[in-house]
Amino acid sequence: FSFVYGLQYYGGRLFVADNGNDVLRVVNLTTNTVMSLETPLAIQKPSDVAFDPEQSHLYTITKDEGQVFRLDLSTWLSSPTNDAIQVTVIVGDENVQSSVDGPF
């Protein structure tokens, strides 16, 4: 781990924003293992995480680009393989930083 900026507990796991390594990690407190979440979209410099247990969604925001991502972990939680993760950019564009309020 390098420059951990945020973590969230859910279901015996810690979801960790490992900013220094440009990766989201999962610490399984039951099996004492660590797994990196490899996603189809590059998530650079994650700076925080939040988990929605009703939808099984993990949210993260990036430090430099200011993007918010939603990771659908509904399948992953029962079968933790990286190909089971669906990622959506909720807010932001990696090429444009903005501080404008309004619809997104």
Side-chain angles (χ1 to χ4, degrees):
F1 294 95
S2 175
F3 297 105
V4 172
Y5 277 34
L7 59 86
Q8 176 78 48
Y9 176 84
Y10 176 73
R13 297 178 174 108
L14 287 174
F15 295 89
V16 181
D18 187 346
N19 184 278
N21 288 310
D22 292 329
V23 70
L24 297 169
R25 297 192 192 271
V26 181
V27 178
N28 188 317
L29 300 174
T30 304
T31 62
N32 297 321
T33 57
V34 177
M35 177 183 188
S36 296
L37 291 178
E38 303 294 331
T39 61
L41 295 177
I43 299 176
Q44 300 292 319
K45 304 291 182 203
S47 61
D48 205 357
V49 290
F51 194 81
D52 174 0
E54 292 181 15
Q55 300 293 320
S56 298
H57 290 164
L58 181 70
Y59 294 89
T60 188
I61 187 166
T62 57
K63 179 179 179 286
D64 296 332
E65 289 83 15
Q67 291 178 286
V68 177
F69 293 87
R70 178 181 65 219
L71 288 74
D72 184 345
L73 299 182
S74 55
T75 303
W76 184 90
L77 287 170
S78 59
S79 178
T81 60
N82 283 321
D83 58 348
I85 301 171
Q86 296 178 13
V87 181
T88 304
V89 178
I90 299 297
V91 176
D93 181 329
E94 65 182 299
N95 299 312
V96 180
Q97 291 187 352
S98 175
S99 61
V100 177
D101 293 340
F104 56 91

